[in-house]
């Protein structure tokens, strides 16, 4: 009878073997937390981690279980830092799946982003909740970065726009930035621009939130956030009805020198702002009833 190999001999010797071992450990509740943490550290370095996660037995179910387990802690708001860190490790792996071209479509077909929306609906400003919202936004941000029509079509069929708008109004600077980036990517798609410019209510909601952000940015400047806000305005100005409305409701802070210092080293945003003002000046007509052109004037 041959001797049993020692535990040391059975230890995985390569990174890929360790990754496979951690993926297998996701299926077991007692080893899942450590596996989540280790795999989340590898999502930037292991090229095929997304297909490995998606096609391994029970892994997606385990990640969704981590998400669902947190639902009772978001209402009432009792989420702890430890709970937040653990579920965010699971979310980072889902972001990896959302980013990969081989798994993005099936990720959407399974409607997995909808499991994240309860996190985006939270309003608590504590660090665990802020981290949870930011990481959830990261998954949606990974989807829209692909610039694929199927992503925009999926998102437009959900409540992502009002969720992003609320975060743009009330979130931290970083969460506002990611949420505004998501709105920007939706607007840059023709179907997204058409959707937002289709009704007075949608126009008005977007314009009011963007206007409030400009007013706040005038008090607390952030070049990174302002960049995405200006790009949203510029894209809206590509739509004739929106352009007419923006002539009446664009915040004065974007027309004067309020942001000159903030943008002095940002050539791209200065260029976009110049194009925006130029778009609004070209073919200007006498003011009409905003409801006829799709948007109400913004009051600060």
């Amino acid at each position: 009878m041959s001797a049993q190999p020692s535990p040391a001999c059975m230890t995985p010797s390569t990174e890929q073997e360790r990754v496979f071992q951690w993926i297998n450990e996701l299926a077991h509740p007692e080893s899942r937390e450590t596996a989540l943490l280790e795999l989340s550290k590898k999502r930037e370095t292991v090229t095929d981690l997304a297909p490995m996660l998606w096609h391994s037995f029970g892994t997606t179910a385990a990640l969704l279980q981590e998400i669902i387990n947190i639902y009772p802690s978001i209402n009432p708001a009792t989420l702890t830092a430890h709970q937040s860190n653990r579920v965010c490790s699971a979310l980072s792996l889902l972001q990896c799946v959302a980013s990969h071209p081989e798994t993005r479509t099936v990720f959407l077909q399974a409607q997995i982003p909808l499991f994240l929306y309860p996190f985006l609906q939270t309003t608590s400003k504590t660090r665990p909740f802020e981290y949870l919202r930011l990481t959830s936004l990261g998954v949606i941000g990974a989807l829209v970065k692909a610039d694929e029509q199927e992503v925009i079509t999926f998102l437009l069929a959900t409540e992502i726009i009002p969720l992003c708008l609320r975060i743009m109004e009330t979130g931290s600077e970083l969460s506002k930035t990611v949420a505004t980036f998501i709105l920007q990517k939706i607007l840059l798609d023709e179907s997204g621009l058409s959707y937002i410019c289709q009704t007075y209510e949608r126009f008005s909601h977007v314009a009011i939130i963007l206007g409030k952000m400009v007013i706040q940015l005038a008090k607390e400047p952030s070049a990174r956030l302002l960049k995405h806000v200006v790009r949203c305005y510029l894209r809206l100005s590509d739509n004739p009805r929106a352009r007419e409305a923006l002539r009446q409701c664009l915040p004065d802070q974007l027309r004067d020198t309020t942001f000159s210092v903030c943008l002095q080293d940002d050539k791209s945003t200065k260029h976009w702002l110049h194009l925006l003002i130029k778009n609004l000046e070209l073919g200007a007509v006498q003011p009409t009833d905003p409801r006829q052109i799709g948007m109400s004037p913004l009051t600060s």
Side-chain angles (χ1 to χ4, degrees), residues 28-68:
H28 307 289
E30 66 276 6
S31 59
R32 184 178 298 161
E33 184 171 5
T34 299
L36 285 170
L37 181 61
E38 295 298 334
L39 286 169
S40 66
K41 295 176 183 176
K42 296 293 183 182
R43 62 189 182 92
E44 301 290 346
T45 58
V46 180
T47 306
D48 293 325
L49 180 58
M52 291 161 66
L53 290 168
W54 185 262
H55 296 296
S56 56
F57 179 79
T59 297
T60 302
L63 297 178
L64 291 179
Q65 187 177 48
E66 288 295 309
I67 289 172
I68 294 170

Side-chain angles (χ1 to χ4, degrees), residues 75-96:
N75 189 19
T78 59
L79 186 70
T80 65
H82 177 261
Q83 287 176 310
S84 179
N85 290 336
R86 176 165 173 162
V87 73
C88 285
S89 292
L91 289 170
S92 70
L93 296 182
L94 289 180
Q95 179 175 337
C96 178

Side-chain angles (χ1 to χ4, degrees), residues 11 16 31 41 44 47 66 74 120 133 142 171 175 186 201 214 221 228 264 271 277 281 286 292 295 298:
T11 301
Q16 188 174 50
S31 59
K41 295 176 183 176
E44 301 290 346
T47 306
E66 288 295 309
I74 63 177
L120 299 179
R133 282 190 296 273
S175 288
I186 291 173
E201 288 77 13
V214 170
H228 296 301
Q264 61 183 354
H271 177 64
I277 301 303
E281 290 175 349
Q286 292 298 315
Q292 296 177 1
M295 191 183 297
L298 177 69

Side-chain angles (χ1 to χ4, degrees), residues 195-215:
Y195 177 88
I196 289 177
C197 296
Q198 188 174 9
T199 68
Y200 163 77
E201 288 77 13
R202 292 173 191 166
F203 258 140
S204 180
H205 195 185
V206 171
I208 288 172
I209 298 302
L210 288 175
K212 287 181 178 179
M213 293 179 74
V214 170
I215 294 169

